[in-house]
Amino acid sequence: MKFYSTADKSNLVSLREAVLSGMPNDNGLYMPESIPRLPESFFKSMTSMDYQSLSFEIARQFLSGDIPASVLQDIIHEAINFPTPLVDIEDRIKTLELFHGPTLAFKDVGARFMSRLMAYLVKDSDHKLTILVATSGDTGGAVANGFYRVPGIDVIVLYPAGKISLIQEKQMATLGENITDLKVDGTFDDCQRLVKAALVDPDIKKSLMLTSANSINISRLIPQTFYYFNALRQIENFRSRSIVISVPSGNFGNLTAGLIAKRMGLPVQRFIAATNVNHVVPDYLDSGKFEPKPSIQTISNAMDVGNPSNFSRILDLYDSSWKKIKADIQGVYFTDDETRQAITSVKKITGYTLDPHGAVGYLGIKKYLAQHRDVDSGLFLETAHPAKFKDIVEPVIQDTVEIPKRLADFLNREIQTHALSNQYTDFKEFLLTNSN
Ligand SMILES: *Cc1c(COP(=O)(O)O)cnc(C)c1O
């Protein structure tokens, strides 16, 4: 299958080019040439398939022309190696736990799949591939761990100094070897701007084979569709239910993957775009106007995004029709106070501990269900384990959050990072002097 740029549909490239370049030169984002609709038989048998076979069937729709089936099987077995259980929270509300991977966030799914796909695509190349990743907290850890010790690939992670938690910093900046970390004196949007500038800089292209590992890379989006299917598979008689899924969102990669799953035929009635006070997408859904803004810091910091990179993909999926987009997505946003209250009340009533991101998702579905009595299955994505945000969660629930062992192991390691200004000239110099 070929991939086109959202900025110019006639700009078609191969899978290899789309994945390794990360982003087209015209500032668009790559999208699959077509989104295959899965046959009726697939949905009938979904309940009896295991998660990996299900993932293989979905991945094959996009990749079978480029990746041999046996290689794709191996990639899926290595990447999709942890469960995404659906857990009951309260009447009509369940959560899809996406935090059972190595860095305890849903980004492990995309990062693990992308790393193995890229390793396959560069295995015969004599140039080293350098991956740039801007992170607001969780992507960096997932990508760094996904690529750690993958031969032929170096990773450079950029994160905003002082705006991520110690745990997040430990997860991304303690590995060494093929992983380099830069703490940028600025915001996540600055980090993202630096990465985007480097990717299209002809001087850098001369000496480095560069790509990005942000949610702008299409190879992260494809595996994120898998768990939407896996979620519905766990609902009894899912085909005859009305199902709404609330997605706590920042760059909107997760939600875009859900929309792609729906386009493939997954019977989701609607998605909720749930954000914190960085609400440019809920505003767009309300007014029809998309107005990027500087990001505001919140307790759900992985969603502190003022100019969501996947928005152009959402527009593309719906031919830029505000009306069509509104039919499939409802927007809603919440303050930090509301988020804290949700964590408190869910803990008190059900005993379940939400993380701040999942709490935004919970609030989204809760509000929607109150207004829509006909919806019988409300889901929200729990995108991170609460232990990753224990500094925020513990004072709110007035209890301790148990730290899983794989997280405790990171905490004992030493941070190795370089400070960088938010000026592109400094980043460029760093790349050119460290390129050999
Ligand atoms: C990245 C992230 C999000 C936002 O996901 P997007 O795909 O960028 O919308 C939400 N929650 C957590 C914990 C994250 O790490």
Side-chain angles (χ1 to χ4, degrees), residues 185-246:
D185 185 11
T187 61
F188 167 70
D189 293 332
D190 288 323
C191 298
Q192 192 150 261
R193 175 176 50 79
L194 294 177
V195 167
K196 284 190 177 178
L199 287 171
V200 295
D201 185 331
D203 296 341
I204 292 193
K205 280 190 180 172
K206 267 184 247 154
S207 48
L208 280 172
M209 181 157 112
L210 271 193
T211 190
S212 140
N214 283 91
S215 52
I216 55 180
N217 196 302
I218 190 68
S219 68
R220 273 183 52 181
L221 232 42
I222 293 170
Q224 286 183 224
T225 61
F226 305 163
Y227 49 71
Y228 285 97
F229 288 85
N230 196 43
L232 265 64
R233 193 172 70 86
Q234 297 173 63
I235 299 174
E236 216 181 321
N237 299 326
F238 71 89
R239 297 169 78 222
S240 56
R241 288 181 183 266
S242 50
I243 298 168
V244 174
I245 304 180
S246 171

Side-chain angles (χ1 to χ4, degrees), residues 105-107 138 248-254 302-303 355 357 383-384 389:
F106 82 92
K107 293 191 174 77
D138 280 342
S249 295
N251 264 317
F252 283 80
N254 215 351
M303 312 196 310
D355 99 291
H357 306 80
T383 47
F389 300 93

Side-chain angles (χ1 to χ4, degrees), residues 266-278:
L266 192 71
V268 178
Q269 196 177 79
R270 229 167 173 204
F271 288 93
I272 315 289
T275 72
N276 55 33
V277 292
N278 295 283

Side-chain angles (χ1 to χ4, degrees), residues 310-329:
N310 281 288
F311 185 71
S312 62
R313 283 195 168 114
I314 298 180
L315 285 178
D316 185 77
L317 275 169
Y318 293 90
D319 305 320
S320 300
S321 160
W322 178 55
K323 246 179 98 181
K324 286 192 214 160
I325 293 174
K326 269 169 52 115
D328 275 3
I329 314 171

Side-chain angles (χ1 to χ4, degrees), residues 76-310:
I76 284 174
H77 277 268
E78 283 184 31
I80 309 301
N81 66 341
F82 54 89
T84 60
L86 199 58
V87 175
D88 281 316
I89 300 295
E90 57 186 61
D91 184 36
R92 298 197 291 155
I93 300 185
K94 296 176 200 291
T95 186
L96 184 71
E97 292 185 342
L98 299 175
F99 55 70
H100 295 277
T103 71
L104 295 90
F106 82 92
K107 293 191 174 77
D108 285 326
V109 177
R112 293 177 68 77
F113 185 88
M114 174 175 58
S115 64
R116 282 146 185 90
L117 183 62
M118 281 184 174
Y120 173 75
L121 294 173
V122 298
K123 75 177 170 20
D124 299 322
S125 158
D126 21 279
H127 294 286
K128 215 169 195 169
L129 178 67
T130 301
I131 292 179
L132 301 182
V133 54
T135 182
S136 57
D138 280 342
T139 307
V143 170
N145 284 275
F147 282 95
Y148 183 51
R149 293 181 168 158
V150 171
I153 301 183
D154 283 340
V155 174
I156 300 175
V157 182
L158 289 82
Y159 62 94
K163 294 195 173 65
I164 65 169
S165 72
L166 178 65
I167 289 174
Q168 288 173 327
E169 195 167 11
K170 290 259 185 183
Q171 284 183 322
M172 70 179 91
T174 57
L175 295 167
E177 300 194 40
N178 64 328
I179 313 296
T180 302
D181 288 85
L182 299 175
K183 69 173 171 191
V184 175
D185 185 11
T187 61
F188 167 70
D189 293 332
D190 288 323
C191 298
Q192 192 150 261
R193 175 176 50 79
L194 294 177
V195 167
K196 284 190 177 178
L199 287 171
V200 295
D201 185 331
D203 296 341
I204 292 193
K205 280 190 180 172
K206 267 184 247 154
S207 48
L208 280 172
M209 181 157 112
L210 271 193
T211 190
S212 140
N214 283 91
S215 52
I216 55 180
N217 196 302
I218 190 68
S219 68
R220 273 183 52 181
L221 232 42
I222 293 170
Q224 286 183 224
T225 61
F226 305 163
Y227 49 71
Y228 285 97
F229 288 85
N230 196 43
L232 265 64
R233 193 172 70 86
Q234 297 173 63
I235 299 174
E236 216 181 321
N237 299 326
F238 71 89
R239 297 169 78 222
S240 56
R241 288 181 183 266
S242 50
I243 298 168
V244 174
I245 304 180
S246 171
V247 184
S249 295
N251 264 317
F252 283 80
N254 215 351
L255 183 66
T256 303
L259 298 172
I260 293 173
K262 181 168 161 72
R263 194 62 63 85
M264 295 179 88
L266 192 71
V268 178
Q269 196 177 79
R270 229 167 173 204
F271 288 93
I272 315 289
T275 72
N276 55 33
V277 292
N278 295 283
H279 49 71
V280 297
V281 171
D283 284 356
Y284 164 80
L285 291 163
D286 205 37
S287 69
K289 288 198 202 75
F290 182 67
E291 290 168 344
K293 300 206 166 67
S295 60
I296 300 165
Q297 206 177 335
T298 74
I299 59 169
S300 46
N301 68 13
M303 312 196 310
D304 294 351
V305 182
N307 187 7
S309 55
N310 281 288

